[in-house]
């Protein structure tokens, strides 16, 4: 097939370095004077955030700063793409935490070990609330609300216009409830970012090395959220140890690393631990109610899908997939003459 990789031998330029162990990942990059970040994370799935006492942590060896939401002027934003502006995620929690691992403070220190040790000295006072970890249970009228002002846990939805019954011509109807459980992406390399705010050629106000599958989208997001001209932001992606969808967009930790570097005027970096990745790099759970209409000779006559997507604590991408790519792929490779679809995205304490 001319112009295609199919059936052709393709020389991969990245393989020699990778198979010889000569790859360079973000964590391999050494920058003198770089500060390390570690995050104070909620042990509760749902709780009011009453107070954060960081006095002892600020006295710890090597600690440069301990910052909470009120200390960093970083607005709430959509880490991947616009979903529902009423449930945008603040980089650090404000008033309430909405999943286990939600960040309430960031410790900045001269070394990674000092930052991690100081996290243990931050005293946070929580008032636990009822969690909702199941997307269908979150739709109950009496469910605990993630965003009280919304009055519901439904943050997005769509329904095809009423019309002919897509199953009207079916001789046989097969019905199924299909549960796609939440999954952990688990790449070999977790999230990692290194931010510099000085450029020898004065071409950029922000230079970001990050493990990402979408460097151009990241550039746009950094520029928009931090109020920097896009041409003054450079995003560099060296080798990436796996992504699988989990390294799309800009995680709040990355945005906070950039904000800390700008505030303190020094390079700043953060490398996710495996435990942190298991807490945060997951999603995409769905429950699908599917009705397939068939003729007795096996021909498909119609398909109706009702899909609930788990949007997580802040209306994230996983919930949006219910009304996006899940719809687009629902018919697979089959000829489906009649099709009806509806979806909901529900916030949960996950």
């Amino acid at each position: 097939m001319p112009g295609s990789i199919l059936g052709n031998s393709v020389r991969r330029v990245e393989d020699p370095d990778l198979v010889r162990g000569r790859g360079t990942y973000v964590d391999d990059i050494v920058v003198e004077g770089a500060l390390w970040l570690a995050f104070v994370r909620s042990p509760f799935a749902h709780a009011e955030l009453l107070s954060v006492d960081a006095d002892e942590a600020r006295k710890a060896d090597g600690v440069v700063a301990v910052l909470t939401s009120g200390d960093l002027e970083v607005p709430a934003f959509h880490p991947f793409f616009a979903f529902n502006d009423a449930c945008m995620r603040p980089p650090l929690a404000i008033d309430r935490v909405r999943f286990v691992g939600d960040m309430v403070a960031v410790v900045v220190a001269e070394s990674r070990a000092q930052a991690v040790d100081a996290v243990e000295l931050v005293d946070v006072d929580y008032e636990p609330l009822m969690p909702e970890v199941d997307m269908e249970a979150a739709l109950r009228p009496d469910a605990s609300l993630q965003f009280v002002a919304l009055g519901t846990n439904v943050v997005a939805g769509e329904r095809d216009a009423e019309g002919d019954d897509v199953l009207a011509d079916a001789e046989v109807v097969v019905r199924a409830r299909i549960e796609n459980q939440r999954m952990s992406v688990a790449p070999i390399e977790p999230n990692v970012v290194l931010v510099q705010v000085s450029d020898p050629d004065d071409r950029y106000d922000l230079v970001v090395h990050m493990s990402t599958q979408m460097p151009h989208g990241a550039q746009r997001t950094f520029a928009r959220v931090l109020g920097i001209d896009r041409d003054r932001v450079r995003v560099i992606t060296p080798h990436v140890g796996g992504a699988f969808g989990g390294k799309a967009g800009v995680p709040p930790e990355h945005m906070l690393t950039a904000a800390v570097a700008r505030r303190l005027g020094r390079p700043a970096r953060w490398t996710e631990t495996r435990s942190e990745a298991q807490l945060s790099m997951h999603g995409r759970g769905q429950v699908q109610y599917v009705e397939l209409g068939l003729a007795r000779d096996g021909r498909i006559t119609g398909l109706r899908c009702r899909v609930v997507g788990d949007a997580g604590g802040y209306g994230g991408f996983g919930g949006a997939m219910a009304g996006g790519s899940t719809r687009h792929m629902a018919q697979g490779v089959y000829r489906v003459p009649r099709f009806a679809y509806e979806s909901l995205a529900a916030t949960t304490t996950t």
Side-chain angles (χ1 to χ4, degrees):
M1 185 182 297
S4 171
I5 65 172
L6 299 177
N8 295 307
S9 176
V10 178
R11 187 180 297 276
R12 287 163 48 97
V13 298
E14 67 269 36
D15 287 357
D17 283 341
L18 294 176
V19 299
R20 291 180 174 91
R22 298 174 182 169
T24 299
Y25 300 86
V26 176
D27 211 39
D28 296 322
I29 301 170
V30 177
V31 174
E32 293 297 326
L35 297 167
W36 284 88
L37 274 63
F39 296 98
V40 180
R41 297 181 181 272
S42 169
F44 296 99
H46 201 196
E48 296 287 349
L49 179 58
L50 303 181
S51 65
V52 180
D53 183 351
D55 288 346
E56 291 302 313
R58 292 188 177 101
K59 300 174 187 176
D61 290 343
V63 172
V64 175
V66 181
L67 306 167
T68 61
S69 60
D71 301 316
L72 290 169
E73 296 180 357
V74 182
F77 72 104
H78 296 291
F80 190 12
F81 67 84
F83 185 37
N84 184 330
D85 287 348
C87 52
M88 285 194 291
R89 183 175 175 184
L92 293 173
I94 303 171
D95 301 329
R96 180 178 292 210
V97 293
R98 293 180 168 88
F99 64 94
V100 173
D102 206 354
M103 299 178 294
V104 301
V106 54
V107 175
V108 186
E110 299 289 350
S111 74
R112 186 178 186 179
Q114 289 169 329
V116 170
D117 287 346
V119 163
E120 301 298 324
L121 301 176
V122 178
D123 186 15
V124 185
D125 191 10
Y126 301 95
E127 181 63 38
L129 299 170
M130 183 65 68
E132 292 290 354
V133 299
D134 180 272
M135 67 192 92
E136 290 184 290
L139 301 176
R140 299 191 321 262
D142 61 344
S144 177
L145 298 179
Q146 289 283 68
F147 293 86
V148 176
L150 279 176
T152 177
N153 285 323
V154 177
V155 292
E158 65 172 10
R159 174 181 292 167
D160 287 349
E162 294 290 340
D164 294 339
D165 185 353
V166 298
L167 304 177
D169 297 336
E171 296 176 300
V172 177
V173 177
V174 179
R175 296 179 171 88
R177 177 186 182 276
I178 304 167
E179 185 171 348
N180 286 284
Q181 72 274 19
R182 292 177 65 86
M183 66 173 195
S184 176
V185 180
I188 295 174
E189 177 196 33
N191 276 311
V192 55
V193 64
L194 166 65
V195 179
Q196 296 166 276
V197 289
S198 60
D199 172 43
D201 300 324
D202 195 31
R203 292 181 58 192
Y204 305 103
D205 296 322
L206 202 67
V207 178
V208 182
H209 292 78
M210 61 185 289
S211 181
T212 180
Q213 61 198 84
M214 297 179 66
H216 300 91
Q219 181 198 37
R220 291 191 295 270
T221 302
F222 279 115
R224 183 183 72 252
V225 175
L226 297 177
I228 306 172
D229 187 272
R230 182 179 169 186
D231 292 337
R232 301 286 295 177
V233 178
R234 185 183 186 194
V235 175
I236 302 170
T237 302
H239 289 122
V240 174
F244 316 117
K247 294 179 181 176
V250 177
E253 292 92 341
H254 290 40
M255 194 63 69
L256 288 166
T257 304
V260 166
R262 297 184 76 203
R263 177 186 175 99
L264 300 179
R266 291 178 58 178
R269 65 191 311 160
W270 171 70
T271 299
E272 188 174 47
T273 66
R274 179 61 55 195
S275 295
E276 287 178 309
Q278 292 294 306
L279 282 175
S280 62
M281 198 189 292
H282 56 80
R284 212 200 283 184
Q286 290 185 357
V287 173
Q288 304 162 345
Y289 291 88
V290 182
E291 298 171 283
L292 183 66
L294 300 152
R296 293 198 178 276
D297 61 7
R299 287 179 296 106
I300 296 174
T301 62
L303 175 66
R304 178 187 291 142
C305 301
R306 297 182 175 95
V307 179
V308 181
D310 188 344
Y314 290 96
F317 171 60
M321 292 183 73
S325 52
T326 302
R327 179 193 179 103
H328 301 154
M329 295 185 288
Q331 298 172 67
V333 297
Y334 301 99
R335 181 179 289 114
V336 180
R338 289 179 162 184
F339 179 64
Y341 191 93
E342 57 189 87
S343 67
L344 290 175
T347 50
T348 59
T349 51
T350 60

mmCIF file of all heavy atoms in Angstrom, residues 222-247:
data_model
loop_
_atom_site.group_PDB
_atom_site.id
_atom_site.type_symbol
_atom_site.label_atom_id
_atom_site.label_comp_id
_atom_site.label_asym_id
_atom_site.label_seq_id
_atom_site.Cartn_x
_atom_site.Cartn_y
_atom_site.Cartn_z
ATOM 1 N N PHE A 222 -0.752 25.705 29.466
ATOM 2 C CA PHE A 222 0.108 26.506 30.328
ATOM 3 C C PHE A 222 -0.056 27.993 30.017
ATOM 4 O O PHE A 222 -0.163 28.829 30.927
ATOM 5 C CB PHE A 222 1.575 26.105 30.149
ATOM 6 C CG PHE A 222 1.987 24.879 30.903
ATOM 7 C CD1 PHE A 222 2.371 23.732 30.232
ATOM 8 C CD2 PHE A 222 1.994 24.869 32.294
ATOM 9 C CE1 PHE A 222 2.766 22.591 30.931
ATOM 10 C CE2 PHE A 222 2.382 23.742 33.005
ATOM 11 C CZ PHE A 222 2.764 22.593 32.313
ATOM 12 N N ALA A 223 -0.046 28.337 28.753
ATOM 13 C CA ALA A 223 -0.151 29.742 28.361
ATOM 14 C C ALA A 223 -1.480 30.339 28.804
ATOM 15 O O ALA A 223 -1.527 31.451 29.361
ATOM 16 C CB ALA A 223 0.021 29.864 26.849
ATOM 17 N N ARG A 224 -2.567 29.600 28.591
ATOM 18 C CA ARG A 224 -3.889 30.133 28.919
ATOM 19 C C ARG A 224 -4.073 30.303 30.415
ATOM 20 O O ARG A 224 -4.514 31.352 30.892
ATOM 21 C CB ARG A 224 -4.962 29.197 28.359
ATOM 22 C CG ARG A 224 -6.385 29.698 28.593
ATOM 23 C CD ARG A 224 -7.427 28.722 28.084
ATOM 24 N NE ARG A 224 -7.518 27.530 28.929
ATOM 25 C CZ ARG A 224 -7.087 26.336 28.593
ATOM 26 N NH1 ARG A 224 -6.485 26.156 27.423
ATOM 27 N NH2 ARG A 224 -7.227 25.304 29.412
ATOM 28 N N VAL A 225 -3.729 29.282 31.193
ATOM 29 C CA VAL A 225 -3.990 29.310 32.636
ATOM 30 C C VAL A 225 -3.076 30.296 33.349
ATOM 31 O O VAL A 225 -3.501 31.008 34.269
ATOM 32 C CB VAL A 225 -3.841 27.897 33.229
ATOM 33 C CG1 VAL A 225 -3.988 27.931 34.749
ATOM 34 C CG2 VAL A 225 -4.881 26.953 32.629
ATOM 35 N N LEU A 226 -1.818 30.382 32.945
ATOM 36 C CA LEU A 226 -0.854 31.240 33.625
ATOM 37 C C LEU A 226 -0.765 32.645 33.011
ATOM 38 O O LEU A 226 -0.019 33.486 33.509
ATOM 39 C CB LEU A 226 0.528 30.587 33.605
ATOM 40 C CG LEU A 226 0.620 29.246 34.350
ATOM 41 C CD1 LEU A 226 2.022 28.663 34.207
ATOM 42 C CD2 LEU A 226 0.253 29.404 35.820
ATOM 43 N N GLY A 227 -1.514 32.883 31.950
ATOM 44 C CA GLY A 227 -1.539 34.213 31.354
ATOM 45 C C GLY A 227 -0.247 34.595 30.664
ATOM 46 O O GLY A 227 0.201 35.746 30.740
ATOM 47 N N ILE A 228 0.349 33.640 29.968
ATOM 48 C CA ILE A 228 1.598 33.866 29.239
ATOM 49 C C ILE A 228 1.317 33.748 27.744
ATOM 50 O O ILE A 228 0.520 32.900 27.322
ATOM 51 C CB ILE A 228 2.670 32.826 29.644
ATOM 52 C CG1 ILE A 228 2.870 32.820 31.154
ATOM 53 C CG2 ILE A 228 3.991 33.102 28.935
ATOM 54 C CD1 ILE A 228 3.773 31.693 31.640
ATOM 55 N N ASP A 229 1.969 34.582 26.944
ATOM 56 C CA ASP A 229 1.837 34.459 25.503
ATOM 57 C C ASP A 229 2.308 33.059 25.079
ATOM 58 O O ASP A 229 3.369 32.595 25.516
ATOM 59 C CB ASP A 229 2.672 35.535 24.794
ATOM 60 C CG ASP A 229 2.418 35.542 23.302
ATOM 61 O OD1 ASP A 229 3.114 34.783 22.587
ATOM 62 O OD2 ASP A 229 1.542 36.298 22.846
ATOM 63 N N ARG A 230 1.550 32.419 24.222
ATOM 64 C CA ARG A 230 1.880 31.047 23.851
ATOM 65 C C ARG A 230 3.280 30.928 23.248
ATOM 66 O O ARG A 230 3.981 29.938 23.481
ATOM 67 C CB ARG A 230 0.835 30.530 22.860
ATOM 68 C CG ARG A 230 1.063 29.081 22.443
ATOM 69 C CD ARG A 230 -0.008 28.615 21.487
ATOM 70 N NE ARG A 230 0.327 27.332 20.885
ATOM 71 C CZ ARG A 230 -0.381 26.751 19.934
ATOM 72 N NH1 ARG A 230 -1.487 27.339 19.493
ATOM 73 N NH2 ARG A 230 0.000 25.594 19.428
ATOM 74 N N ASP A 231 3.687 31.916 22.502
ATOM 75 C CA ASP A 231 5.019 31.870 21.888
ATOM 76 C C ASP A 231 6.146 31.966 22.907
ATOM 77 O O ASP A 231 7.306 31.707 22.579
ATOM 78 C CB ASP A 231 5.173 32.999 20.858
ATOM 79 C CG ASP A 231 4.279 32.787 19.644
ATOM 80 O OD1 ASP A 231 3.899 31.632 19.400
ATOM 81 O OD2 ASP A 231 3.962 33.775 18.959
ATOM 82 N N ARG A 232 5.794 32.334 24.142
ATOM 83 C CA ARG A 232 6.800 32.444 25.204
ATOM 84 C C ARG A 232 6.847 31.194 26.087
ATOM 85 O O ARG A 232 7.528 31.182 27.104
ATOM 86 C CB ARG A 232 6.526 33.668 26.073
ATOM 87 C CG ARG A 232 6.513 34.990 25.330
ATOM 88 C CD ARG A 232 7.918 35.422 24.939
ATOM 89 N NE ARG A 232 8.746 35.704 26.097
ATOM 90 C CZ ARG A 232 10.037 36.040 26.031
ATOM 91 N NH1 ARG A 232 10.644 36.117 24.852
ATOM 92 N NH2 ARG A 232 10.735 36.282 27.135
ATOM 93 N N VAL A 233 6.104 30.161 25.702
ATOM 94 C CA VAL A 233 6.092 28.898 26.434
ATOM 95 C C VAL A 233 6.674 27.804 25.547
ATOM 96 O O VAL A 233 6.249 27.629 24.401
ATOM 97 C CB VAL A 233 4.657 28.494 26.860
ATOM 98 C CG1 VAL A 233 4.670 27.159 27.585
ATOM 99 C CG2 VAL A 233 4.041 29.574 27.734
ATOM 100 N N ARG A 234 7.661 27.084 26.057
ATOM 101 C CA ARG A 234 8.240 25.960 25.330
ATOM 102 C C ARG A 234 8.021 24.688 26.134
ATOM 103 O O ARG A 234 8.350 24.638 27.327
ATOM 104 C CB ARG A 234 9.737 26.173 25.091
ATOM 105 C CG ARG A 234 10.359 25.067 24.224
ATOM 106 C CD ARG A 234 11.848 25.235 24.059
ATOM 107 N NE ARG A 234 12.383 24.242 23.123
ATOM 108 C CZ ARG A 234 13.670 23.962 22.975
ATOM 109 N NH1 ARG A 234 14.577 24.607 23.701
ATOM 110 N NH2 ARG A 234 14.065 23.051 22.102
ATOM 111 N N VAL A 235 7.480 23.671 25.493
ATOM 112 C CA VAL A 235 7.291 22.364 26.111
ATOM 113 C C VAL A 235 8.184 21.363 25.381
ATOM 114 O O VAL A 235 8.125 21.246 24.157
ATOM 115 C CB VAL A 235 5.817 21.910 26.050
ATOM 116 C CG1 VAL A 235 5.674 20.489 26.580
ATOM 117 C CG2 VAL A 235 4.942 22.862 26.871
ATOM 118 N N ILE A 236 9.012 20.661 26.149
ATOM 119 C CA ILE A 236 9.948 19.693 25.595
ATOM 120 C C ILE A 236 9.575 18.304 26.127
ATOM 121 O O ILE A 236 9.447 18.114 27.337
ATOM 122 C CB ILE A 236 11.400 20.026 25.988
ATOM 123 C CG1 ILE A 236 11.774 21.440 25.504
ATOM 124 C CG2 ILE A 236 12.366 18.990 25.424
ATOM 125 C CD1 ILE A 236 13.093 21.942 26.063
ATOM 126 N N THR A 237 9.431 17.358 25.219
ATOM 127 C CA THR A 237 9.115 15.992 25.608
ATOM 128 C C THR A 237 10.253 15.074 25.180
ATOM 129 O O THR A 237 10.404 14.810 23.984
ATOM 130 C CB THR A 237 7.801 15.524 24.955
ATOM 131 O OG1 THR A 237 6.758 16.417 25.331
ATOM 132 C CG2 THR A 237 7.446 14.127 25.416
ATOM 133 N N PRO A 238 11.060 14.590 26.110
ATOM 134 C CA PRO A 238 12.085 13.604 25.752
ATOM 135 C C PRO A 238 11.445 12.229 25.593
ATOM 136 O O PRO A 238 10.259 12.131 25.253
ATOM 137 C CB PRO A 238 13.049 13.675 26.945
ATOM 138 C CG PRO A 238 12.185 14.087 28.089
ATOM 139 C CD PRO A 238 11.070 14.927 27.525
ATOM 140 N N HIS A 239 12.171 11.164 25.852
ATOM 141 C CA HIS A 239 11.561 9.837 25.793
ATOM 142 C C HIS A 239 10.466 9.721 26.856
ATOM 143 O O HIS A 239 10.569 10.311 27.934
ATOM 144 C CB HIS A 239 12.611 8.750 26.012
ATOM 145 C CG HIS A 239 13.544 8.609 24.848
ATOM 146 N ND1 HIS A 239 14.910 8.752 24.959
ATOM 147 C CD2 HIS A 239 13.298 8.370 23.544
ATOM 148 C CE1 HIS A 239 15.463 8.586 23.768
ATOM 149 N NE2 HIS A 239 14.514 8.356 22.896
ATOM 150 N N VAL A 240 9.432 8.969 26.546
ATOM 151 C CA VAL A 240 8.284 8.795 27.433
ATOM 152 C C VAL A 240 8.118 7.308 27.722
ATOM 153 O O VAL A 240 8.030 6.494 26.807
ATOM 154 C CB VAL A 240 6.998 9.363 26.796
ATOM 155 C CG1 VAL A 240 5.779 9.048 27.666
ATOM 156 C CG2 VAL A 240 7.131 10.868 26.587
ATOM 157 N N GLY A 241 8.071 6.978 29.002
ATOM 158 C CA GLY A 241 7.931 5.584 29.406
ATOM 159 C C GLY A 241 6.494 5.133 29.495
ATOM 160 O O GLY A 241 6.041 4.656 30.535
ATOM 161 N N GLY A 242 5.766 5.281 28.404
ATOM 162 C CA GLY A 242 4.374 4.859 28.371
ATOM 163 C C GLY A 242 3.432 5.992 28.736
ATOM 164 O O GLY A 242 3.765 6.888 29.516
ATOM 165 N N ALA A 243 2.232 5.975 28.146
ATOM 166 C CA ALA A 243 1.238 7.006 28.430
ATOM 167 C C ALA A 243 -0.165 6.406 28.455
ATOM 168 O O ALA A 243 -0.888 6.527 29.431
ATOM 169 C CB ALA A 243 1.322 8.128 27.393
ATOM 170 N N PHE A 244 -0.572 5.775 27.351
ATOM 171 C CA PHE A 244 -1.832 5.022 27.293
ATOM 172 C C PHE A 244 -3.050 5.885 27.616
ATOM 173 O O PHE A 244 -4.029 5.417 28.182
ATOM 174 C CB PHE A 244 -1.781 3.804 28.221
ATOM 175 C CG PHE A 244 -0.489 3.040 28.140
ATOM 176 C CD1 PHE A 244 0.343 2.942 29.238
ATOM 177 C CD2 PHE A 244 -0.096 2.458 26.953
ATOM 178 C CE1 PHE A 244 1.547 2.265 29.157
ATOM 179 C CE2 PHE A 244 1.110 1.783 26.861
ATOM 180 C CZ PHE A 244 1.934 1.677 27.961
ATOM 181 N N GLY A 245 -2.984 7.164 27.260
ATOM 182 C CA GLY A 245 -4.093 8.064 27.529
ATOM 183 C C GLY A 245 -3.977 8.809 28.843
ATOM 184 O O GLY A 245 -4.634 9.829 29.043
ATOM 185 N N GLY A 246 -3.125 8.334 29.751
ATOM 186 C CA GLY A 246 -3.019 8.953 31.070
ATOM 187 C C GLY A 246 -2.166 10.203 31.101
ATOM 188 O O GLY A 246 -2.147 10.907 32.107
ATOM 189 N N LYS A 247 -1.445 10.482 30.014
ATOM 190 C CA LYS A 247 -0.582 11.662 29.981
ATOM 191 C C LYS A 247 -1.048 12.661 28.926
ATOM 192 O O LYS A 247 -0.254 13.316 28.261
ATOM 193 C CB LYS A 247 0.871 11.253 29.736
ATOM 194 C CG LYS A 247 1.474 10.451 30.889
ATOM 195 C CD LYS A 247 2.905 10.042 30.600
ATOM 196 C CE LYS A 247 3.468 9.216 31.751
ATOM 197 N NZ LYS A 247 4.837 8.727 31.445
#
